[in-house]
Amino acid sequence: MKLLRTKICGWVVAAILIAPACVSADTPSSTQKRSYEATAVKAGRFFKYREWANAAAMYELMLEEQPKVCDTYAHAIVTAGMRSLPDYEIALAEKAQANLVPVDSLLQGVRRVSFSLGETSQYEKFLLLLKERQRWLGRSIDKQLLQYYLFRRNAQEIETYSRIMLSGAPDNADFMLALAQGRLLNGDYEGAMATYRDVLALYP
């Protein structure tokens, strides 16, 4: 009986000693979460009021804590674009790639953020920058640029990039129709009709 009481007392003491350790182990994670959320709120405020340097600093902190969040990269890249820091934009893109953020997701994020600002040219500039610095993304970037110029109804660039895409996929109906649209916008009605006939010949 005495031995049993001794064991029980030992267990109670051990529980008392372990309990604070468990509480303290949980505290940093919850604190970090609150800290991250507070930083995100500050970043959003700085971004909204176009305080680019302060916003950039907050996004850096956020990426240090959670380096796989695509939306943070998108905001940080647009912020860098607004500060005319192309090298920093590329560094952010490379960091996103190193953390396995899908390129398509990153591009769509930058598009969404730049459009929400009313700064659509930032998306175009980022695409052109990636095309120059990361040539292995060339065809994927060309496709995104074609979509952008279709949205902007930029006749000359639509023709240019639809021809680029058709050079690798001459029977692609989407690229052929884009070329026809570029020709129409340029006032080349005969060229547009010729392209539409080519489409109908392939896809009657």
Side-chain angles (χ1 to χ4, degrees), residues 61-188:
L61 293 175
M62 291 170 68
L63 289 172
E64 285 179 13
E65 291 190 38
Q66 296 189 21
K68 296 182 180 293
V69 181
C70 182
D71 185 67
T72 308
Y73 285 106
H75 279 82
I77 286 169
V78 173
T79 298
M82 294 302 293
R83 299 172 72 198
S84 300
L85 297 174
D87 291 340
Y88 187 36
E89 289 181 77
I90 290 297
L92 287 164
E94 290 174 347
K95 184 173 182 177
Q97 292 159 5
N99 283 285
L100 305 181
V101 175
V103 173
D104 285 348
S105 298
L106 182 65
L107 294 179
Q108 290 308 307
V110 172
R111 184 183 191 278
R112 174 177 50 78
V113 174
S114 62
F115 278 41
S116 71
L117 269 181
E119 300 283 351
T120 59
S121 64
Q122 288 300 327
Y123 175 60
E124 177 190 13
K125 289 175 183 177
F126 181 61
L127 290 175
L128 293 171
L129 180 63
L130 275 183
K131 183 178 178 179
E132 176 189 347
R133 302 284 187 92
Q134 296 189 343
R135 295 185 181 278
W136 58 276
L137 285 173
R139 188 159 180 82
S140 176
I141 297 298
D142 287 338
K143 185 177 180 180
Q144 297 295 332
L145 282 166
L146 175 57
Q147 294 301 317
Y148 173 76
Y149 292 128
L150 283 166
F151 167 76
R152 298 292 299 175
R153 299 178 65 81
N154 185 324
Q156 189 59 50
E157 297 297 351
I158 290 172
E159 283 204 50
T160 297
Y161 281 91
S162 58
R163 290 183 189 280
I164 290 173
M165 297 306 296
L166 284 167
S167 67
D171 295 340
N172 184 289
D174 290 336
F175 302 148
M176 294 174 76
L177 290 171
L179 175 60
Q181 185 171 338
R183 285 178 158 177
L184 274 176
L185 291 171
N186 259 333
D188 180 9

Side-chain angles (χ1 to χ4, degrees), residues 20-40:
C22 293
V23 172
S24 63
D26 289 338
T27 303
S29 62
S30 59
T31 301
Q32 286 175 352
K33 184 178 179 181
R34 287 196 299 272
S35 174
Y36 181 85
E37 291 172 351
T39 303

